[in-house]
Amino acid sequence: MLKDVFFYPLAGIIIALIIGGALSLGNHDVLTVNDIRQQGFTVEGPDLAGLTAAPGTNYEYIAATPNDPALARLVTTLARDVAPPSPGIFAALNPNYEAAFSQQTLRLTITARSSAKEGLAEFDMAYFTAGSGDSGWKRQTLTSEWAEYSFDFTTGAVKGEGDLDYFSIWPGITGEPLMMDVKRMRIDVLENTDP
């Protein structure tokens, strides 16, 4: 077993590599601030395969079939209180999104359900920034049918050159192997005001 002095730096390096890998697969089109504020941010369909799972969490991408949409099936592998601090399973937003979403009121929506087998009852969702304020985890109760789970959050001002933001899900906090299905993650700007 690794001592804390080695474990936490190693965990930090692994998380940084995971995030870097996720960003290298992303769309590199440069959108203007107005484009981003009008279009928002969406992850669905094949883009769900590009989610990132931090230590303590995992997911499986399931491609669409004629009868079912593409989805990501999420699960935890460790209880959150013993897992290294992380944003769980997340979509990373590049610094252009962080700048466009700065000081804006966002509506964060996840379309999800409890998996048909070994279904999860609750999950947490959050929005994390690089120093301009986080939403904190928001608990949601799942049903067996697809439903939208949302909360509104106003971001702070970007400090410095900007960094990544994370739209995050923690699928259950106990570490039990229970699952949820996600077919869409969406961010809309509710108040488009220039800071």
Side-chain angles (χ1 to χ4, degrees):
M1 182 169 278
L2 286 175
K3 293 183 179 184
D4 287 352
V5 71
F6 299 114
F7 175 78
Y8 288 106
L10 182 60
I13 291 169
I14 291 170
I15 290 170
L17 290 172
I18 290 170
I19 293 168
L23 287 176
S24 70
L25 299 174
N27 185 347
H28 297 289
D29 291 341
V30 177
L31 300 172
T32 68
V33 167
N34 268 351
D35 290 340
I36 292 171
R37 289 180 181 170
Q38 289 175 2
Q39 295 175 20
F41 178 83
T42 303
V43 178
E44 65 184 334
D47 291 341
L48 290 165
L51 294 175
T52 301
T57 62
N58 203 357
Y59 80 94
E60 172 188 11
Y61 171 71
I62 299 172
T65 67
N67 297 322
D68 295 302
L71 60 92
R73 182 155 290 150
L74 284 57
V75 66
T76 56
T77 57
L78 288 173
R80 192 163 73 206
D81 61 353
V82 298
S86 79
I89 298 170
F90 60 90
L93 288 78
N94 69 41
N96 292 338
Y97 282 89
E98 183 189 43
F101 290 166
S102 175
Q103 301 181 70
Q104 302 297 305
T105 299
L106 308 178
R107 174 157 295 152
L108 296 106
T109 304
I110 293 173
T111 306
R113 68 181 180 193
S114 178
S115 296
K117 186 177 179 183
E118 298 175 347
L120 186 64
E122 296 178 322
F123 74 99
D124 290 345
M125 56 190 286
Y127 190 78
F128 295 102
T129 68
S132 58
D134 302 328
S135 70
W137 291 109
K138 307 296 182 187
R139 179 79 32 97
Q140 306 286 350
T141 301
L142 287 162
T143 68
S144 60
E145 301 297 323
W146 290 113
E148 291 188 347
Y149 302 91
S150 300
F151 73 92
D152 298 347
F153 173 64
T154 302
T155 62
V158 173
K159 297 173 182 168
E161 295 183 10
D163 206 339
L164 304 177
D165 283 1
Y166 309 105
F167 186 8
S168 300
I169 301 171
W170 197 284
I173 62 170
T174 63
E176 296 176 84
L178 302 175
M179 295 173 282
M180 65 181 285
D181 299 336
V182 173
K183 73 174 179 179
R184 188 172 194 243
M185 299 172 72
R186 173 86 187 149
I187 301 174
D188 292 296
V189 178
L190 299 184
E191 294 178 12
N192 186 351
T193 57
D194 290 324

